[in-house]
Amino acid sequence: MEYTVIELATDEAVIARFRQQRGGLTFLGATRRSLETDNALEGLIREFAPQAAPDNRTILALPPSSLSFREMEIPITDRRKLREIIPLELKGETVLPTEELLFDAVPLSEGRIMAVWCRRQTVTALIDDCTRAGLEPRVVTASPFCWGGLVPSGETGYTAVADGAAFVVYRDGKPLFFRALDPRDPDADLQRTAAALALGRDIRLERIYRHGPRIPERTDEGGVPVVPLPLEPSVVAAFESETAARDLAGCRWIAASCIAGAPVNFRYGDLAHTAENLQQQKLLRITAILSVLLVVTLFAQAGLRYYLVNRDLKSLNGSIMGIYHELFPTRKSSIDPVEEVKAELRQMGGAVAAQDVLKTLKGVAEAKGDDVTGLYEATLEGNQAILKGDARSIEAVNGFRNRLSGIFATVQVGEQKSKPDGSVSFTIRGTLKEGGK
């Protein structure tokens, strides 16, 4: 998967490309350009768009100066619910009506959040510019919300990170404070912010880690030292030099944060990514089609089973009627031939024999199974029985013979003839057990 990060500042834009691989993110290239005209961003993206791979995902990072922040006490971590609650909490307290703003939040500690919002019109215009130029962003975020990975591992207490456009304070690796810096003099605004935190919230910083090219190092005694951000050797190896790795650290962690799940994303609701929505609609259509096919298949299977059972019943009834006509050739068809045969046998004093014959026929019918398609003749003479019928295969005949072993003392398969459709006709001879004569 390839990621293209478009990071905006007040007067410039950076576009960086990364490839996600097993070992992490590989740097593919970047460009930085000043935004001196209204169409400069769209022109820059249009030049860069042909380099994007088919699996590219574009991330747009807003300039921190376009964001507003407020720390709030809301003991909820679900961001979708926070997007609904924050506008209600801030209604009447923002310069613009909440309907014209987009909201999100960053969880802090002890049930507090940092609410952040921006103008809907600004985001919509930027999305349109990027889309026209050929790189529609899937995520609209801001760089400061992705800097958690820049905090040196194992460092406890208060840690500050700045890039000249924004300033973030962490406590034990968790975000505590966000602020956009004055682009006209970010170094002085950074020192004023650090001093205000020390006086107002007793947050005393030993150093501030810098990345990006917009803020200089500061090691004199006139304020909090600003030192280069320490980088892992593996991160530096992915770039051309340590300077490039530090200048593009923000872009790299924007891509990494979006892979893990963007902490802030203003592209939601009616501004949600259109291509993703179309893909979800396509998946829903496919799911609906598969569901319909499943239902049709179930009905077809039920219909087929009904047909087979009905055919077997007709075959069995035909065999019974055949026996009935052999016993009573001068009689017409009977409504209940079995009962009529029982009555005749009872009259002849052969109730026991009738029960034995019916028991044998019932056992044959139960042993028949689906593979035997029909029995068209059954002859009982003394303790000998001869069954003739059709089956789907020779294996089906052998299975029928095995099942009849519970009824007859001995079972033998006689003549078998194959038919053009693959089925076979068969003759089975059996000797009744002593109790079944």
Side-chain angles (χ1 to χ4, degrees):
M1 183 71 68
E2 183 176 302
Y3 290 85
T4 298
V5 178
I6 305 174
E7 184 182 12
L8 302 180
T10 305
D11 56 353
E12 67 176 9
V14 178
I15 300 182
R17 294 169 52 236
F18 301 89
R19 166 67 64 176
Q20 181 185 7
Q21 295 179 336
R22 183 173 300 178
L25 286 172
T26 301
F27 175 65
L28 301 179
T31 184
R32 184 187 302 271
R33 186 173 300 180
S34 175
L35 301 178
E36 298 178 352
T37 61
D38 294 338
N39 298 325
L41 176 61
E42 184 176 345
L44 174 61
I45 297 174
R46 198 177 299 278
E47 294 177 11
F48 212 83
Q51 303 178 32
D55 61 349
N56 174 73
R57 293 192 174 188
T58 303
I59 305 164
L60 176 64
L62 301 175
S65 59
S66 66
L67 306 176
S68 298
F69 306 90
R70 178 174 295 185
E71 192 171 334
M72 305 175 69
E73 284 192 20
I74 301 180
I76 297 176
T77 57
D78 187 276
R79 290 173 55 202
R80 184 169 55 181
K81 294 181 179 179
L82 287 172
R83 288 168 177 166
E84 298 174 357
I85 294 173
I86 293 174
L88 300 177
E89 295 287 333
L90 296 177
K91 198 171 186 65
E93 299 185 26
T94 56
V95 177
L96 295 174
T98 55
E99 294 78 8
E100 300 180 19
L101 302 174
L102 295 171
F103 296 87
D104 212 322
V106 179
L108 301 179
S109 57
E110 300 176 356
R112 301 183 68 83
I113 65 163
M114 180 65 73
V116 55
W117 63 93
C118 63
R119 297 184 63 181
R120 176 184 292 269
Q121 183 179 359
T122 300
V123 174
T124 303
L126 289 173
I127 292 175
D128 291 342
D129 290 344
C130 295
T131 303
R132 283 195 303 269
L135 290 178
E136 181 183 359
R138 288 176 175 262
V139 176
V140 178
T141 183
S143 181
F145 308 120
C146 307
W147 290 352
L150 295 177
V151 177
S153 59
E155 187 161 337
T156 59
Y158 296 111
T159 304
V161 180
D163 69 344
F167 172 67
V168 183
V169 178
Y170 297 87
R171 181 170 61 189
D172 298 332
K174 296 183 179 180
L176 179 67
F177 177 80
F178 294 86
R179 187 176 187 277
L181 298 176
D182 187 350
R184 294 170 297 182
D185 192 355
D187 183 41
D189 194 20
L190 180 63
Q191 295 299 324
R192 287 193 297 268
T193 303
L197 288 174
L199 293 175
R201 302 180 58 170
D202 198 25
I203 298 176
R204 303 183 184 279
L205 302 173
E206 295 184 3
R207 68 186 67 83
I208 300 173
Y209 292 113
R210 60 163 288 271
H211 66 96
R214 292 186 294 272
I215 184 171
E217 295 184 29
R218 184 188 182 108
T219 56
D220 56 31
E221 298 180 357
V224 180
V226 179
V227 299
L229 177 74
L231 298 172
E232 296 289 339
S234 59
V235 176
V236 176
F239 294 85
E240 297 176 355
S241 64
E242 184 174 347
T243 301
R246 189 169 288 111
D247 287 352
L248 297 171
C251 291
R252 182 179 184 275
W253 278 104
I254 290 172
S257 297
C258 289
I259 293 173
V264 168
N265 183 13
F266 294 109
R267 188 144 203 205
Y268 62 88
D270 57 350
L271 290 182
H273 185 243
T274 55
E276 188 172 343
N277 289 342
L278 292 174
Q279 184 178 8
Q280 292 178 353
Q281 292 175 7
K282 182 178 179 181
L283 292 176
L284 288 175
R285 285 196 297 269
I286 293 174
T287 303
I289 292 172
L290 292 177
S291 300
V292 171
L293 290 177
L294 176 61
V295 172
V296 171
T297 302
L298 291 176
F299 275 105
Q301 184 180 13
L304 180 60
R305 291 179 64 87
Y306 173 80
Y307 167 75
L308 293 175
V309 171
N310 190 50
R311 188 186 64 178
D312 291 342
L313 288 175
K314 289 182 178 179
S315 175
L316 182 59
N317 289 334
S319 300
I320 293 174
M321 291 304 298
I323 296 173
Y324 174 80
H325 286 302
E326 287 183 3
L327 293 173
F328 311 108
T330 60
R331 296 184 185 181
K332 296 181 178 180
S333 299
S334 174
I335 297 176
D336 192 348
V338 175
E339 288 298 326
E340 191 169 336
V341 170
K342 285 183 179 180
E344 291 291 339
L345 290 175
R346 281 195 296 268
Q347 291 178 4
M348 296 171 62
V352 174
Q355 292 294 333
D356 291 341
V357 170
L358 293 174
K359 181 179 179 181
T360 301
L361 292 177
K362 180 181 178 182
V364 171
E366 291 177 348
K368 176 176 171 292
D370 294 336
D371 291 335
V372 177
T373 57
L375 293 173
Y376 52 82
E377 183 176 330
T379 304
L380 295 175
E381 296 180 358
N383 66 343
Q384 298 295 315
I386 301 176
L387 303 176
K388 296 182 179 181
D390 295 325
R392 291 192 173 92
S393 63
I394 295 176
E395 290 77 8
V397 176
N398 293 331
F400 185 35
R401 179 197 60 191
N402 294 336
R403 292 192 293 273
L404 290 175
S405 62
I407 304 172
F408 299 111
T410 61
V411 184
Q412 296 179 348
V413 178
E415 184 180 8
Q416 298 183 63
K417 294 182 180 180
S418 298
K419 296 183 178 181
D421 60 355
S423 62
V424 296
S425 60
F426 63 89
T427 301
I428 291 180
R429 299 178 180 273
T431 302
L432 295 177
K433 296 181 178 179
E434 290 298 325
K437 290 183 179 179

